[in-house]
Each structure stands twice: as C-alpha cells, then as structure tokens.
Amino acid sequence: MTATPLLKVTDLAIEFSTPQGRVRAVDGISFDVYENETLGIVGESGCGKTVTGLSLLGLIPSPPGRIAAGSIELAGRNLAKLDEAAMREVRGGEISMIFQEPMTALNPVFTVASQMTDVIIRHKGLTRAQARREAIDMLGKVGIPAPARRLDDYPHQMSGGMRQRVMIAMALACGPKLLVADEPTTALDVTTQAQVIELIGQLQREFRMAVILITHDLGVVAETCQRALVMYCGRIAEQAQIEPLFRSPRHPYTHGLLDSIPRIRDQRLTQLPTIAGRVPDLLNLPPGCRFADRCTRAQEDCRTAEPELTQAGQSAFACYHPIGHQPAEPVA
Amino acid sequence: MELLQFSVRKLIAGVPLVIGVTLISFLLMVYFGPDKTFDLLGKNPTAEQIAEVREQLGYNKPFLVRYGEYVRELVTFNFGASESTGEPVTSLLARTIPVSVALALPGFILGNLLGVALGLLAAYYRGGLADKFIMGSAAIGMSISFLIVIIAFQIIFSSSFGLNLFPVRGWDVNSIGDYVSYVTVPTLATVFVALGYNTRFYRSVIVEEMSRDHVRTARAFGVPPAPLFYKLILKNALIPIITRIMFSIPVIIISGSLLLEQYFGIPGVGKATYDAIVTGDQPVLKAVVALTAILLVIVQLLTDILYRAVDPRVSLK
C-alpha cells in the first residue's frame, strides 16, 4: 500500500431535498482508496452506498440531491469542486462505473460498437476505425467470444452476463484509475456472478487500477476485497481490513450482518439470526447512535450522543460498546 | 424480402378493418343519414313520385345489396358523381386533397418539429425557469379555443384593425408568393394550438426516457448533454413520437382542417366533406370514409416499418 491514497474522501455529506425536508443520505463519511486496491462498501438497501458511488462521478441527480459538505480528492484534485464539463472528462476516463442492471444499463437502440466507440473516441481522441479496433480488443479481454462479430450486436441480442462483460469492457476501455462497481453481480445468476467477479479481479491486476465494490453480498467482499467499509444509515459503522473484519467484527452491526449469513455446515441451525427492528427514518433520526434501537449492546450513552469513528487496533468503528474489548480476544 | 412479406401480410390484415369501418359508417349513413327524397321532390309529392325517386336513388334496394355496390365502387375506385354538384367524386378528391395537404403541411411539420425541440428544452431544464415558461405557454395554447385563435389571428394579421398583411379568406394560388400569403395565418393558428399539446406530450415522453438506466450509464461515461439528448434519448423516445405523428396523417389528408378551411374559405377536402355531410351527399361521404380507412391501414404499415427502423428489438415477423 502506497503512502498517498489515489482517492481521498473527507467528511462527505450528500443531501436530498424532499417535500418533508432535507435528508442526509450520506452524513460525513471519510475513506481512502489506494492504487491497485479493492475496497468493499457493504450495507443494506438505502444505507447510502450507491449514492456514495454516484457522488464520486458527480452523478448525484441534482436537483434534488447535492454534495452538502466534504471533498472527494482524486490524485490531489477535488472532484466535488469541478464543473460539469471537467467532470465529464473524469467520467469514463479517470473513474468508470458499472451498474447493477446489465439488462437495462446499455442503450437498447444503439449497437455495442456505437456505444463503446463513442466513449473511446471521446476520451482518447482516436478515429472511429482505431476506436473500433480498441473496442474489439477490450471485448476479447473480457472474454466475449468472436468479439469482432459481437461488436455489431445490439444489447438485446446478448445474455445478462455478456452485457455485464460489455459494460466492464466499456468501463475499462479508457484505462481508468478507479472503477466503481455498484452491485455488478446482483442481477446475474450465481455461475455468471463468479465469472464476472473473477474477471474484475483479473482486469484489476492487469490494469493496476483501484476498485470500489459496492455490494450487500458479504461473500463477494470476503473473496475480492482487501478492505471494507460497513455503512449503516448514511454513516460508516466499521472500517477494517477483510481479515479482522470477518474474524473479529467490532461493531455490533457488522457482527449482526455476518451472523445472518447462512452457513452450510451449521446443520443444527433452524432459524437464521436476523437483526431485529428496522432502519430508522432518515428524516427522523434518533439523537444518539443510529443503530441503538436495534442493538443488543446498546446502553444509556448510546442514545444521547452519536459515536465517532475511531481507530482501535486493526479496525475503525463508531461504537461506544464494541464487541471484544481486547483486540486479541478470540471470537466466540 | 422480409419487408415485402411483412407489408403484404399487413395489408391483407387491413382488409377486415376497411370492411368494418365502411360497413358501420354505411349503416349509419343509410339508416340515420339524411333522406334526399324530399329534398328532390319539394312539398306535397305523390306516392308514385316518392316511389320513383327512391327507385332512382336506390333507396328501395336491400341494405346488403347497397353495401355490395359500395364495395364494388371502392374496389374499382369509382364512386360516381356528387349528388349536389354533379362533379365526379374522384375529380372532387383530386382537386381538394392537394389543397388540404398544402394547407395543413407547414403547420403539421412546424408544430411537430417545434414541439419536439421545446419538449427537449423543457425536459433538459426540468423544474427550471425555462421549463416553467415553456410549459406555461403550452398550457395557454391548449386552453384557448381553436376558433378564438383563428378569429383573433385573422383580426391581428389580416384585417385593417391589425397588421393587414395577408388575405383573410380564399385560395387563389398561382405562385409560391400566393401560397405563402394564403397559408401563413392558418399555419400560425395551427402551430399556436398544436404546440401546446405537442410540447406537453413530447416533454413527458422525453422526461420518462431520461430516467432510464442507460441514460445514467451514458452520463457515467461522460456523454455531454447535447448528444445525450439529441442522439441517445431522442432515438429511444422516437417510438411514441412516430406513433403520434403517423396517426395524425390520415386526419390531415382526408378530414383536413375543417375549421381552418371553413373560416379561411379554403376549398379543401375538409370543407368538401363538411358540405357533403350537411347535404347528405352520399357518394362523397362513401369515398371519404373508405379512403380514411385505407389510409389508416397504410399508415399502420408504415408506422410498423418505422418502428423497425428505430428500434432493433422490434421484429417484422
């Protein structure tokens, strides 16, 4: 890990105006991503992970959304301050994003060739013929058989897995420094999921880029990421390397998430543990810890002031009463 | 080849439609339409005179025989002569349809082009001042009766109370200059009214298309707003746009702009149809009804072919 991070997000807050008032979908989160690293962002629906991903490309729908505070520095440049035209250069050039729904994420009325070469021409300034050769090359790299022929297909002539491969090829065509993958495998069947995840890992090594993998699938995170953030209700609950995060989660929410994964060998388990209660309404947040109402370890102080994210041992977590006070304590 | 097969299949499938439309409208014409017997005989006819005239007009024949004659006229495209003027129906249509098309075409093209352009603008500045201004003007255009607009525009542009630039009535076209002078005010009135409806419709189509995933993808790859709107979004929005434009074509060619032709004294097919309805001129009405149905079938076919051209997912099978 190099000393200077490629991407440095500091105190990022993203607000949406709603008829009921302003809502902070993301409330003061900070994290770094280093070159050649895969960072996982984990959390349940609505915790702000997709909004965080979109904000990195300046794609928060505005209005009603806006970046209310904080900075997003990519190689020393604050993206939150860039204007729209400069941001367009970044999108697809320095940062690429791939999305959850490969079935609808490509434009149905244009060929793959048209969509890919447009991106390549725009960012690399090549001629159409050169861009076409690059596109064929990229399609080959993502494992599409007979790429020269498939290039002229329309998206509906391809399977979901193939379309996601096309998305990845398009995302990597201009050699981005950072790839944001928002639930890239959720809509795919399990075999295709594994292939796509493997492909992203393989291309990451080849292109030496950083990857932010946004997912709710902890299995995928454990397999592919070096580090992960666990987000809850617009805040970071815990941030750690994968090893300590999975072996000895400190935040009760992380623990609850891990506990609710079905284990194949646990034959005697009759009912899967779940985290009781519901995510609080972002319009009506409790004064203390946002997880307090659902937490088994919550005490009086949890309900009065919100815990800050603090580094302790191998993890950073926002909790007054973390699991395992000694870092060395073995996990039950 | 695929296209030819498809066209033939579609046209054959259109035959029941033409039969249905003509059958129903002929039924209405015969049983609820005007009876010309007494128009021709005047007051106090004798029973023999009535019988004779009904015989001449063919009123005494059974309905199906009369409908059979209608179908024969339709197939041979010979509808006989107008009962009011004696002019052959085919020559009447050949005289009036071009006038109607020439009258309606500029307004039709401008109304749709401007409608799409303003719809795109309003959608792009959605929620902003430009959007509010455009949609507000559209609402005004929609809310004012076409008749009022026509009269107001005639006063403004064609009377000594206003600019007095154009002739208020008539259609004496011998040159491009004549054409422009007669067509300008009707076109302005059409555009004024049509623009409201068109802009609202096109804006909603485009706004819906803007929320699609592929638009977000395009933005995530740095596509600038101009190609995003004019290329990526517009091509996806073309299906509803084509549908709307294509299906208004039969209305323009056959029915014409009834109000426009009436108020500007233009001898188009709309006015001819209106006169035929008023006088119960069955040969003309039969021709107009049949032509509308046939044109609708052709337009449907063309629309399907255009769908195929813009959306690769549409199959002509």
Side-chain angles (χ1 to χ4, degrees):
Chain A
M1 205 181 281
T2 43
T4 49
L6 172 71
L7 179 82
K8 189 171 180 59
V9 174
T10 318
D11 291 325
L12 181 68
I14 299 161
E15 273 183 1
F16 286 88
S17 314
T18 67
Q20 288 82 38
R22 278 192 193 161
V23 162
R24 286 213 160 180
V26 171
D27 194 1
I29 65 168
S30 302
F31 61 92
D32 296 339
V33 186
Y34 296 87
E35 202 178 292
N36 210 14
E37 179 197 35
T38 305
L39 173 75
I41 299 184
V42 199
E44 55 199 289
S45 309
C47 72
K49 54 191 197 299
T50 295
V51 170
T52 305
L54 288 172
S55 72
L56 300 180
L57 287 96
L59 285 178
I60 300 294
S62 164
R66 67 187 188 98
I67 294 180
S71 66
I72 301 167
E73 278 178 39
L74 181 76
R77 205 154 52 122
N78 187 358
L79 302 182
K81 292 267 185 295
L82 285 187
D83 62 20
E84 200 30 48
M87 204 59 219
R88 279 201 292 275
E89 296 294 313
V90 174
R91 292 179 195 143
E94 289 173 72
I95 306 180
S96 279
M97 186 156 181
I98 54 180
F99 296 97
Q100 179 173 354
E101 273 295 338
M103 306 312 266
T104 54
L106 291 165
N107 196 321
V109 301
F110 289 93
T111 59
V112 168
S114 153
Q115 299 183 50
M116 281 190 77
T117 52
D118 275 2
V119 172
I120 298 171
I121 291 168
R122 192 172 327 109
H123 289 295
K124 287 186 159 181
L126 300 180
T127 65
R128 193 153 282 277
Q130 288 169 324
R132 208 183 143 81
R133 273 198 296 282
E134 292 240 331
I136 293 172
D137 197 41
M138 276 314 299
L139 287 187
K141 279 201 176 125
V142 297
I144 287 182
R149 200 161 46 78
R150 297 317 294 259
L151 189 64
D152 291 309
D153 278 359
Y154 286 95
H156 73 276
Q157 292 164 303
M158 297 180 156
S159 68
M162 283 237 270
R163 287 185 220 184
Q164 198 58 294
R165 283 168 194 270
V166 168
M167 277 297 298
I168 295 170
M170 217 162 116
L172 301 191
C174 301
K177 295 176 194 152
L178 174 67
L179 175 71
V180 181
D182 184 4
E183 309 249 9
T185 58
T186 308
L188 303 174
D189 65 66
V190 183
T191 1
T192 322
Q193 271 184 18
Q195 289 168 359
V196 167
I197 287 294
E198 197 182 327
L199 177 70
I200 293 176
Q202 176 204 324
L203 292 168
Q204 174 187 27
R205 286 189 291 279
E206 191 178 331
F207 289 84
R208 292 191 58 79
M209 61 184 175
V211 174
I212 294 180
L213 184 70
I214 298 169
T215 181
H216 61 257
D217 188 337
L218 287 163
V220 169
V221 170
E223 245 172 79
T224 52
C225 301
Q226 282 94 54
R227 223 150 43 84
L229 314 177
V230 177
M231 281 186 74
Y232 183 76
C233 214
R235 284 188 163 256
I236 295 177
E238 184 164 2
Q239 173 175 0
Q241 301 283 326
I242 289 302
E243 265 279 308
L245 187 77
F246 278 77
R247 173 134 4 107
S248 52
R250 304 297 304 275
H251 197 287
Y253 178 61
T254 316
H255 184 264
L257 279 185
L258 290 170
D259 227 24
S260 57
I261 302 174
R263 285 180 185 76
I264 292 170
R265 294 204 175 74
D266 265 5
Q267 300 277 340
R268 269 158 299 183
L269 200 65
T270 49
Q271 199 181 359
L272 204 57
T274 52
I275 304 176
R278 293 175 54 190
V279 184
D281 183 3
L282 281 172
L283 274 164
N284 205 355
L285 286 169
C289 175
R290 294 172 184 196
F291 187 59
D293 282 344
R294 305 173 70 185
C295 186
T296 48
R297 303 172 71 87
Q299 291 173 29
E300 214 34 57
D301 52 348
C302 295
R303 299 185 193 279
T304 49
E306 214 173 339
E308 293 291 321
L309 191 70
T310 41
Q311 186 78 33
Q314 288 170 296
S315 322
F317 48 85
C319 183
Y320 293 130
H321 309 287
I323 300 167
H325 283 285
Q326 288 80 38
E329 192 190 23
V331 176
Chain B
M1 204 51 223
E2 187 199 28
L3 192 67
L4 190 71
Q5 273 181 6
F6 175 75
S7 308
V8 171
R9 223 174 26 244
K10 265 280 174 180
L11 289 178
I12 291 171
V15 170
L17 178 88
V18 175
I19 290 178
V21 169
T22 50
L23 188 66
I24 291 169
S25 34
F26 192 57
L27 201 76
L28 294 173
M29 250 184 259
V30 167
Y31 289 104
F32 299 98
D35 187 328
K36 286 188 75 81
T37 319
F38 299 95
D39 290 358
L40 292 172
L41 289 171
K43 284 179 186 166
N44 310 319
T46 62
E48 290 83 49
Q49 283 174 313
I50 292 176
E52 196 189 315
V53 169
R54 294 188 73 83
E55 170 95 39
Q56 276 170 11
L57 290 170
Y59 283 4
N60 56 346
K61 287 182 212 156
F63 175 77
L64 276 180
V65 174
R66 294 179 66 188
Y67 181 69
E69 280 171 12
Y70 181 16
V71 172
R72 186 172 47 77
E73 287 168 6
L74 173 60
V75 172
T76 57
F77 216 78
N78 177 13
F79 292 96
S82 158
E83 286 170 3
S84 352
T85 61
E87 185 182 6
V89 173
T90 32
S91 91
L92 175 88
L93 292 177
R95 179 170 59 81
T96 54
I97 287 179
V99 174
S100 283
V101 172
L103 172 71
L105 207 58
F108 176 67
I109 293 172
L110 275 178
N112 281 300
L113 278 184
L114 285 176
V116 171
L118 288 175
L120 278 168
L121 264 180
Y124 180 68
Y125 293 109
R126 191 170 30 145
L129 213 62
D131 180 26
K132 285 185 180 125
F133 177 74
I134 291 171
M135 296 326 288
S137 316
I140 293 173
M142 284 168 67
S143 324
I144 304 176
S145 148
F146 192 25
L147 199 57
I148 305 286
V149 175
I150 290 175
I151 295 169
F153 276 34
Q154 283 181 330
I155 292 172
I156 295 169
F157 293 104
S158 316
S159 80
S160 50
F161 300 106
L163 302 169
N164 209 0
L165 291 174
F166 303 100
V168 68
R169 289 177 69 82
W171 188 263
D172 184 17
V173 175
N174 296 310
S175 67
I176 301 270
D178 289 349
Y179 175 56
V180 171
S181 76
Y182 281 112
V183 90
T184 303
V185 182
T187 300
L188 287 176
T190 314
V191 171
F192 185 88
V193 173
L195 211 51
Y197 293 94
N198 288 347
T199 306
R200 281 187 74 88
F201 177 79
Y202 296 137
R203 178 188 180 273
S204 74
V205 166
I206 290 156
V207 163
E208 193 184 325
E209 211 46 57
M210 277 165 71
S211 64
R212 302 253 189 250
D213 282 355
H214 64 79
V215 175
R216 187 181 60 180
T217 307
R219 297 204 337 116
F221 283 94
V223 179
L228 182 66
F229 273 80
Y230 290 108
K231 187 179 167 190
L232 304 182
I233 292 180
L234 193 55
K235 192 171 179 193
N236 275 283
L238 273 182
I239 292 249
I241 294 178
I242 285 173
T243 312
R244 184 183 176 90
I245 292 179
M246 290 303 285
F247 280 84
S248 54
I249 286 177
V251 181
I252 288 184
I253 297 185
I254 296 298
S255 325
S257 305
L258 193 77
L259 275 177
L260 278 183
E261 288 173 12
Q262 198 66 25
Y263 273 78
F264 287 91
I266 292 166
V269 71
K271 193 164 185 305
T273 310
Y274 177 77
D275 293 343
I277 292 170
V278 171
T279 59
D281 195 344
Q282 275 194 5
V284 176
L285 289 179
K286 276 148 89 178
V288 168
V289 165
L291 267 187
T292 312
I294 290 171
L295 214 68
L296 202 70
V297 172
I298 294 172
V299 160
Q300 271 180 356
L301 168 67
L302 288 178
T303 309
D304 280 339
I305 293 171
L306 280 176
Y307 284 169
R308 178 69 187 83
V310 296
D311 191 338
R313 288 167 299 179
V314 174
S315 132
L316 290 183
K317 286 270 142 54

